[in-house]
């Protein structure tokens, strides 16, 4: 008797109703009837008495239910332990800056579900957001959306965040205390270089303002700290996730709200070729937990 047939038999023995059994197992009622009839033919004995009004277990059916229930429970426990063991390894997950602190609830939930499993965070650079995934140096990255790469899988959204604009301490926008996307046309923003796809960069730093004015790009920077160094020197301004303002206080840099910028959505992303139970276990945990909201605009 196959495991699925055992599951059908035990569910019908509990429900004593073909329709409810089919609905519970998400199969057709015909599939349930066929499985039970096949079992009865193989055993040479009736397991259920059926009438137009009711379904009941025969004495043989009751005994079989008692015998199979314990074995089925042991099988399920064994499969659960195997799944947990499959996820029990340390995953390398790339994040921007201090997002590792915000994502602590996800790590805690993953550890609770998969004893022995863990997450080790590493740094993602805006200048090369996908390189470590493609080189197998990271199992997954937490990246702002959209990500539209044919060799990468986009998983659940794990974080939403508002945006800020990093400006030099003496900048007029620092004195004003806030900025808009229109202000970017009067400034220069960082050029993240050729390894960062234009569509992806533009979702953080638009090419044009809402009125259509072009946003000047340059100087070049690859990492978060390079960006802040250029901003502090007054050579540019740059939009960032609001997490940057919460966990950083670099000298010479002020973070002001970018009041009309839409919220950022960060998702778990991994190389499709490296898809496996470990990353899937983390993705399922993230999906069940739901996105963590950080400083999202009202």
């Amino acid at each position: 008797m196959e495991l699925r047939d055992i599951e059908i038999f035990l569910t019908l023995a509990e429900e004593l109703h073909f329709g409810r059994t089919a609905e519970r197992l998400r199969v057709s009622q015909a599939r349930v009837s066929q499985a039970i009839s096949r079992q009865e033919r193989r055993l040479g004995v009736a397991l259920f008495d059926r009438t137009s009004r009711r379904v009941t277990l025969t004495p043989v059916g009751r005994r079989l239910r008692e015998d199979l229930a314990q074995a089925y429970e042991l099988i399920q426990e064994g499969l659960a332990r195997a799944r947990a063991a499959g996820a029990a390894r340390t995953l390398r997950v790339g994040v921007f800056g201090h997002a590792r602190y915000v994502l602590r609830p996800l790590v805690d939930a993953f550890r609770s579900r998969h004893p022995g499993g863990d997450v080790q965070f590493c740094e993602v650079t805006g200048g090369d957001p996908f390189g470590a995934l493609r080189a197998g140096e990271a199992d997954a990255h937490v990246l702002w959306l959209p990500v539209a790469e044919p060799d990468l899988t986009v998983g659940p959204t794990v974080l939403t965040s508002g945006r800020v604009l990093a400006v030099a301490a003496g900048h007029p926008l620092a004195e004003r205390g806030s900025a808009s996307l229109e202000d970017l046309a009067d400034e220069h923003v960082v050029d993240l270089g050729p390894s960062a796809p234009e569509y992806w960069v533009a979702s953080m730093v638009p090419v044009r303002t809402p009125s259509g004015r072009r946003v000047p790009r340059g100087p070049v920077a690859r990492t978060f700290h390079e960006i802040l160094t250029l901003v502090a020197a007054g050579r540019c301004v740059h939009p960032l996730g609001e997490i940057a303002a919460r966990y950083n206080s670099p000298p010479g840099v002020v973070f002001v709200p970018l009041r009309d910028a839409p919220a950022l959505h960060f998702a778990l992303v991994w190389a499709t070729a490296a898809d496996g139970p470990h990353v899937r276990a983390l993705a399922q945990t993230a999906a069940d937990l739901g996105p963590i909201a950080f400083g999202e605009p009202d």
Side-chain angles (χ1 to χ4, degrees), residues 1-9 12 17-19 21-23 25-39 41-42 50:
M1 188 180 293
E2 296 180 0
L3 185 60
R4 186 58 164 169
D5 289 341
I6 293 175
E7 186 177 25
I8 290 173
F9 168 76
L12 182 58
H17 190 282
F18 280 83
T21 297
E23 182 178 354
L25 297 177
R26 297 184 179 181
V27 298
S28 67
Q29 190 167 326
R31 172 72 174 89
V32 176
S33 297
Q34 291 166 4
I36 298 301
S37 296
R38 183 167 58 249
Q39 294 170 27
R41 285 196 302 272
R42 290 176 177 173
R50 311 153 172 85

Side-chain angles (χ1 to χ4, degrees), residues 26-85:
R26 297 184 179 181
V27 298
S28 67
Q29 190 167 326
R31 172 72 174 89
V32 176
S33 297
Q34 291 166 4
I36 298 301
S37 296
R38 183 167 58 249
Q39 294 170 27
E40 291 177 329
R41 285 196 302 272
R42 290 176 177 173
L43 296 172
V45 64
L47 301 175
F48 295 90
D49 287 326
R50 311 153 172 85
T51 69
S52 59
R53 291 178 172 270
R54 58 186 301 196
V55 176
T56 59
L57 281 162
T58 65
V60 174
R62 287 195 294 271
R63 178 58 187 271
L64 183 61
R65 178 188 60 187
E66 294 172 1
D67 292 341
L68 290 181
Q70 289 184 340
Y72 182 76
E73 184 176 349
L74 289 173
I75 290 171
Q76 292 302 309
E77 290 176 357
L79 292 173
R81 284 192 295 270
R83 283 192 292 268

Side-chain angles (χ1 to χ4, degrees), residues 190-201:
V190 166
D191 180 352
L192 292 176
S195 295
E198 178 58 36
Y199 78 88
W200 184 76
V201 174

